[in-house]
Structures are given as structure tokens and as C-alpha cells.
Amino acid sequence: MYQSAKIKETTGFIADYAAVLLGSGVHCTRVLRNSRRICEAYGLELTMTIFASNIILTLSDPEQDEICTEVVHIRQLPVSFELNAELSALSWRVFDNRLSIDEVKREYGQIMQKPRMNHWLVTLLVSVANACFCRLFGGDLGAMGLVFISTFAGFRLLRFVKKRGIDHSLAVILVSFFSSFACIGLASLPPLAGCVNVTVAVATSVLFMVPGVPLITGVIDIFENHVLIGFARLMRAILIMLCLAVGLSISMVIFSGSLQL
């Protein structure tokens, strides 16, 4: 069947657009809704099959009797609600203003190249949030301070190992061990020994790595009949939590003889 350059270009764009949304943690229904909104603006029909690591999508033009299929890999990206919101807004601009595919690709490129929040600020906010979790679970001010320091150091280490291309599961084990080890080590120092709630501090020192987004989107996908990717996301989240537990357990075993938790 004949394929024009227009439908090929549009298919390639939609494939990359959907892969970025899925890779950054968006649930399947929203990805389909945004993608179909763009296709509707061009008078195209979309059929999309989503797997754990790949997307197969087909665009068809009923009027021109054209069809094009694309297979794209879903690359894992950092969760970014800002990016997801901007990409969703882009789909509405395409639908409302009937932007040309060249204009859409130009705006899409600008969004993807836009600088994100400063990573030092992110580290600070994550550390403060984790310290607040410690407080919610009954930790005192000393425990909150320990959690803040261990989270700050652990989050920086996580960024470092991810930039070095280390496998994510191994990185989680390493970082959870490092954060909990630092927390217990600081709590065992003479000025703090016996003065802080060590149990709560250690338990919450690794909470910043709990995969909340995959857990939530996995459940949403299952309830919305995207069972395959839903279970894949849940299994990935469970694996991360198991790795987190392994790292935490190693540090607790090391200190078991010298610190009463």
C-alpha cells in the first residue's frame, strides 16, 4: 500500500511522543488519549499496542487509503510531571490550532531540550521530604536530621551511579545500603548514641527510593484493561523494593553487633 511522506513523518513523531510519555511514568490511557488527539487533528486513525518495553502503533488515513506502522522501544526516563504536563498541553495545541507536523516537531524539540529543575534543588527537596516522612512515622528531630543527611548523600550517589550506566537494580542495592549505613553510622557516634530514635530513622532513610509512580500507574493500567504493562510495572516496582530491602538488610547485619535497633 502506498505511504506518503506525511503519514510516515507523523507516525514516527507519534511513536517517539508516546514512548517518552510511557517512559516517564504516564499511564497507558493518558498516552492513548493524547496520541489520538494529535492524530484526530490530522484526520488520522490510531491503533496502538503497548508492551512492557515496546510500542507497536499504526496510523491510517481513510480518505487517502494510506497506512503506516512503527515499532519503537520505550526507554526508561526520570519521572517528570512537568514534562508530562507540557506534552499533554502540546497535544491540545495541535488539536485546537491544527499545527503542522513541522511546527509540532519544533515545539516538541523545544520541550525536550528545556532545562529541568536544578538537580541540587531536587536533592534538597527530596531530603526534606524524606525527613518529614521520618517525623510522620514518629521520629524525633535528631532522627529527622539523620534521615536528611543520609538521604542527601544517598540521592547524590544514586545520580552518580546512574550517570555511570550501572544497572538500576544494582544501583538501588548500593544506594539503599549506603543511605542506611550512613544513618546507622551517624546514630552510633557518641554525641547521638542513645539520643535519637534509630529504628524510625533507619527505616525511613531509604524511603526516597520506593517506586511510588510505577506502583500507582501499574494499578491504574490494570483497572483500565492494560493488564500486560500494568503487571510489568508492578513487577518492576516489586523488584526495586526487594533490592532496596537487600541493601538495607546488609547494613543492619553489619551493625547488628554494635548497635541495638
Side-chain angles (χ1 to χ4, degrees):
M1 183 176 292
Y2 174 74
Q3 295 177 350
S4 65
K6 177 184 176 181
I7 195 170
K8 288 182 180 180
E9 187 177 16
T10 306
T11 304
F13 167 74
I14 295 295
D16 190 69
Y17 175 86
V20 168
L21 284 175
L22 285 168
S24 57
V26 178
H27 60 92
C28 295
T29 300
R30 186 178 182 184
V31 175
L32 285 167
R33 187 167 57 244
N34 290 351
S35 301
R36 283 174 176 160
R37 188 180 298 128
I38 297 174
C39 291
E40 186 177 345
Y42 298 124
L44 303 174
E45 296 179 358
L46 171 68
T47 302
M48 184 183 296
T49 304
I50 302 173
F51 296 99
S53 301
N54 299 281
I55 305 172
I56 302 175
L57 60 87
T58 299
L59 266 64
S60 58
D61 187 341
E63 295 184 0
Q64 302 297 327
D65 194 25
E66 296 177 348
I67 188 169
C68 186
T69 299
E70 185 90 13
V71 180
V72 62
H73 175 70
I74 303 173
R75 57 188 185 276
Q76 296 302 313
L77 302 170
V79 175
S80 174
F81 296 106
E82 179 185 6
L83 175 63
N84 297 339
E86 290 179 351
L87 292 179
S88 295
L90 175 62
S91 70
W92 277 111
R93 288 198 297 274
V94 177
F95 183 81
D96 293 336
N97 303 323
R98 294 299 192 268
L99 302 178
S100 68
I101 187 62
D102 291 332
E103 293 174 322
V104 177
K105 291 176 70 174
R106 183 170 59 254
E107 289 196 25
Y108 176 72
Q110 292 173 352
I111 292 173
M112 295 302 297
Q113 295 174 6
K114 182 180 178 181
R116 301 301 162 188
M117 186 180 294
N118 183 275
H119 56 86
W120 285 103
L121 177 59
V122 173
T123 304
L124 176 63
L125 294 177
V126 169
S127 302
V128 171
N130 219 28
C132 292
F133 272 123
C134 178
R135 182 62 176 172
L136 288 174
F137 287 113
D140 51 29
L141 291 178
M144 291 177 64
L146 291 178
V147 171
F148 178 87
I149 295 172
S150 58
T151 300
F152 194 96
F155 198 81
R156 297 308 305 169
L157 177 61
L158 179 62
R159 179 178 175 84
F160 175 81
V161 297
K162 292 297 291 181
K163 288 178 67 175
R164 295 302 182 275
I166 296 177
D167 178 76
H168 186 64
S169 297
L170 181 60
V172 171
I173 294 175
L174 178 63
V175 173
S176 62
F177 165 75
F178 177 79
S179 295
S180 55
F181 186 92
C183 186
I184 301 174
L186 290 172
S188 63
L189 295 176
L192 297 175
C195 300
V196 298
N197 192 331
V198 184
T199 303
V200 175
V202 174
T204 53
S205 65
V206 297
L207 285 183
F208 68 95
M209 287 185 294
V210 172
V213 171
L215 287 170
I216 294 171
T217 55
V219 172
I220 292 174
D221 286 335
I222 291 174
F223 275 100
E224 292 180 341
N225 293 321
H226 300 284
V227 179
L228 184 62
I229 189 171
F231 272 110
R233 282 174 162 170
L234 289 180
M235 291 305 299
R236 188 180 298 122
I238 291 172
L239 177 61
I240 292 173
M241 289 189 291
L242 288 175
C243 293
L244 189 155
V246 169
L248 178 61
S249 300
I250 294 173
S251 62
M252 293 182 69
V253 168
I254 293 175
F255 279 98
S256 61
S258 59
L259 185 64
Q260 186 66 35
L261 294 177

